[in-house]
């Protein structure tokens, strides 16, 4: 009896789970399933319409290393004269993300003012709005403000926000609390009647922070390539932001190079002016000495002395030239002990240690000056940069002293050899010996003057061939 009941129960259970029986039961509740599907699709559609889609904008930049081949002699000369660092991918990636560059992009494109067309589910950002909001006179610290703008009648603009409810006309300034003096300007396109627009006004600092978070700047697979990506809801606007960033980066790089060249050129011109006066005075002394002592031509002994010592005189002139340049640089640096000026390093091409220190010093100066455009002297970053500049300045002075000591030893050695040669010719008249001493000083001054003239011309030419250190190989 019990066995029959168990068999009957199992049969009924199996019948319940047959496919046709299951479908029959589900079909009886079909409206619940349809309602669930519709609700799910409705929620998905609402979320999709509510959320703002983001688009990926990308570009690739190749960093040109001045130490590699493929450059003209002039651009290689520029790297020597300006003492710019070889453009490494890591350094340039950091520069591309600096606040200074981002802030210049925000200001140039006025990204702190955004325009939207109000929608039922979400507002759609407009890149080419039918009107413009111009901040005529901003307050010190701008607070975020959202304005609803309507064009109910021609030249009558309705503005509403949590702090404002008024009607204004085009080109008529008005006060907006937390922002400053603002006016509405006409754009190329005309606003649509009975359409509500929303304008968001924010501080430049807030927009810069947001923009920095939207960029991803990473080294590419190639050694000299940087990949730059930006997420933005408006593709065309994202492309313009990326193009502006690269444009400002290139301009900053060229301006830095020009500033280094200008600094070297100004230093050289100042020295040339001083040397010109010394040479003029020395030439007058030589002419007066010859006239007083009636020296018209050299004796045979003097000619022999000049012939035997010419090699040592040339070597001495080169060493004296370098010593004079080092002394001038030392005076220049001591007058700018606080590290407020760029130091030219093109004049000391034989000392790689000093050139590297100058390169570091000038990079710190440029970085500090860029940051000072948005922060004050008391900012911790500026304080730290000033400390690094002071430390580097001390190291440069120590390096100069070391170089001067080394050149002083070389000069003493050449002078000893020169005196030995002069001692072999005993019969040179005293007046002619004195004249030869004056002529030697003149030669040294002339060597220095020619050296500086050459460097000045090279520096001036370098600006003509001043090219950026990067190439946009894959524009956005």
């Amino acid at each position: 009896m019990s066995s029959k009941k168990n068999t009957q129960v199992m049969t009924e259970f199996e019948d319940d789970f047959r496919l046709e029986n299951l479908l029959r039961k589900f079909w009886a509740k079909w409206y619940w399933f349809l309602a669930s599907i519709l609700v799910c699709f409705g929620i998905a559609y609402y979320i999709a319409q509510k959320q703002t889609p983001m688009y990926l904008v990308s570009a690739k930049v190749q960093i040109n290393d001045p130490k590699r081949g493929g450059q003209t002699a002039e651009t290689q000369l520029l790297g020597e004269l300006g003492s710019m660092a070889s453009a490494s991918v890591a350094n340039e990636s950091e520069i591309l993300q600096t606040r200074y560059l981002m802030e210049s992009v925000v200001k140039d494109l006025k990204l702190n003012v955004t325009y939207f067309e109000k929608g039922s589910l979400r507002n759609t950002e407009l890149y080419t709005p039918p009107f413009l909001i111009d901040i005529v006179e901003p307050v010190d610290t701008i607070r975020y403000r959202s304005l609803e703008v309507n064009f109910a009648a021609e030249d009558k603009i309705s503005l509403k926000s949590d702090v404002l409810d008024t009607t204004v006309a085009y080109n008529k300034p008005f006060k907006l609390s937390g922002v400053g003096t603002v006016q509405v300007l006409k754009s190329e396109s005309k606003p649509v009647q009975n359409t509500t627009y929303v304008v968001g006004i924010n501080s430049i600092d807030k927009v810069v922070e947001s923009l920095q978070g939207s960029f991803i700047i990473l080294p590419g697979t190639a050694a000299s390539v940087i990949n730059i990506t930006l997420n933005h809801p408006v593709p065309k606007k994202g492309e313009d932001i990326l193009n502006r960033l690269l444009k400002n980066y290139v301009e900053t790089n060229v301006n830095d190079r020009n500033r280094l060249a200008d600094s070297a050129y100004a230093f050289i011109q100042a020295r040339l002016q001083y040397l010109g006066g010394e040479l003029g005075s020395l030439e007058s002394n030589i002419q007066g000495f010859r006239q007083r002592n009636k020296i018209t031509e050299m004796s045979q002994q003097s000619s022999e002395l000049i012939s035997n010592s010419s090699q040592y005189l040339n070597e001495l002139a080169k060493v004296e030239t370098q010593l004079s340049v080092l002394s001038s640089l030392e005076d220049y640096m001591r007058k700018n002990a606080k590290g407020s000026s760029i130091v030219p390093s093109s004049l000391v091409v034989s000392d790689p240690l000093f050139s590297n220190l100058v390169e570091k010093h000038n990079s710190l100066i440029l970085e500090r000056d860029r940051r000072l455009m948005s922060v004050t002297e008391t900012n911790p970053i500026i304080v730290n940069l000033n400390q690094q500049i002071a430390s580097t300045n001390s190291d440069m002075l120590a390096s100069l002293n070391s170089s001067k000591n080394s050149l002083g030893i070389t000069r003493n050695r050449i002078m000893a050899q020169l005196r030995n040669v002069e001692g072999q010719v005993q019969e040179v008249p005293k007046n002619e010996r004195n004249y030869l001493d004056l002529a030697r000083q003149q030669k040294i001054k002339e060597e220095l003057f020619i050296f500086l003239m050459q460097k000045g011309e090279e520096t001036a030419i370098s600006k003509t061939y001043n090219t950026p250190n990067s190439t946009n190989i894959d524009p956005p």
Side-chain angles (χ1 to χ4, degrees), residues 358-373:
V358 172
E359 177 184 302
K360 179 182 178 182
H361 176 272
N362 290 342
S363 298
L364 290 170
I365 291 287
L366 294 172
E367 175 66 16
R368 184 193 63 184
D369 291 349
R370 282 194 291 264
R371 290 184 178 274
L372 279 174
M373 298 180 70

Side-chain angles (χ1 to χ4, degrees), residues 266-279 449 452:
F267 175 84
I268 290 170
Q269 292 303 310
R271 288 298 303 159
L272 283 173
Q273 184 176 2
Y274 176 77
L275 274 175
E278 282 194 337
L279 268 175
F449 191 85
L452 290 175

Side-chain angles (χ1 to χ4, degrees), residues 118 146-150 157-161 196-199:
K118 191 173 184 179
S146 178
L147 283 174
E148 284 195 1
V149 184
N150 286 281
I157 309 163
S158 174
L159 303 175
K160 289 184 180 180
S161 72
T196 300
Y197 299 95
V198 178
V199 179

